[in-house]
Amino acid sequence: QVHLVESGGGLVQAGGSLRLSCTAPEHSTFNRLFVAWFRQVPGKEREFVRSISWMTTVQYYSDSVKGRFTISRDIAKNTVDLQMNSLEFEETGVYYCAAAEPQRRPLRDRQSENDYEFWGQGTQVTVSL
């Protein structure tokens, strides 16, 4: 079992930036994990944002945030970070970190909710006009 904790959410003005972090405090490393960020905005289903392989850094992304969001791993801090730039009001919502173990279970596309077994509780991001 992998417990995930998100941090870095808060209030930001439209056009501003935030950096979210995901950590597994009871897990020594993200090795062998595929880690993703999802979000749930008011009136919409939870949607995929970006994902990354800890080992290879291969990445997947949503077209809606291409060029504005960057996902990365921080080996020293053992975190997966999501740098969000040029935030829009419509992107207000709860952002979730999720992890999968592809060595134990095959993944469909690294973008589907059901690909991920482990989930954090989310962190609120509020974008003001």
Side-chain angles (χ1 to χ4, degrees):
Q1 189 70 230
V2 178
H3 296 98
L4 304 173
V5 179
E6 305 95 335
S7 63
L11 177 65
V12 63
Q13 188 175 22
S17 301
L18 283 176
R19 188 176 184 88
L20 308 181
S21 293
C22 174
T23 187
E26 298 177 0
H27 199 72
S28 61
T29 178
F30 279 109
N31 280 357
R32 303 181 183 181
L33 297 182
F34 207 94
V35 184
W37 284 95
F38 289 80
R39 67 185 178 191
Q40 190 276 318
V41 302
K44 297 180 64 178
E45 299 292 329
R46 186 159 55 188
E47 64 178 344
F48 169 77
V49 179
R50 298 189 79 90
S51 62
I52 185 171
S53 166
W54 179 267
M55 288 184 59
T56 69
T57 71
V58 64
Q59 301 175 19
Y60 295 81
Y61 55 84
S62 166
D63 289 340
S64 66
V65 300
K66 182 179 180 180
R68 296 189 298 112
F69 289 14
T70 301
I71 192 169
S72 62
R73 64 176 183 179
D74 190 322
I75 297 176
K77 297 192 298 183
N78 194 39
T79 62
V80 172
D81 302 329
L82 182 69
Q83 177 67 44
M84 305 185 294
N85 299 323
S86 301
L87 281 162
E88 302 171 358
F89 172 76
E90 294 79 10
E91 294 176 307
T92 290
V94 179
Y95 285 67
Y96 298 89
C97 180
E101 296 182 283
Q103 299 300 318
R104 294 203 301 159
R105 182 179 66 177
L107 305 182
R108 179 185 178 183
D109 56 12
R110 276 73 170 171
Q111 303 178 56
S112 302
E113 290 186 48
N114 58 13
D115 272 354
Y116 296 90
E117 181 179 0
F118 311 108
W119 292 81
Q121 72 274 35
T123 184
Q124 176 70 39
V125 172
T126 302
V127 184
S128 64
L129 295 175

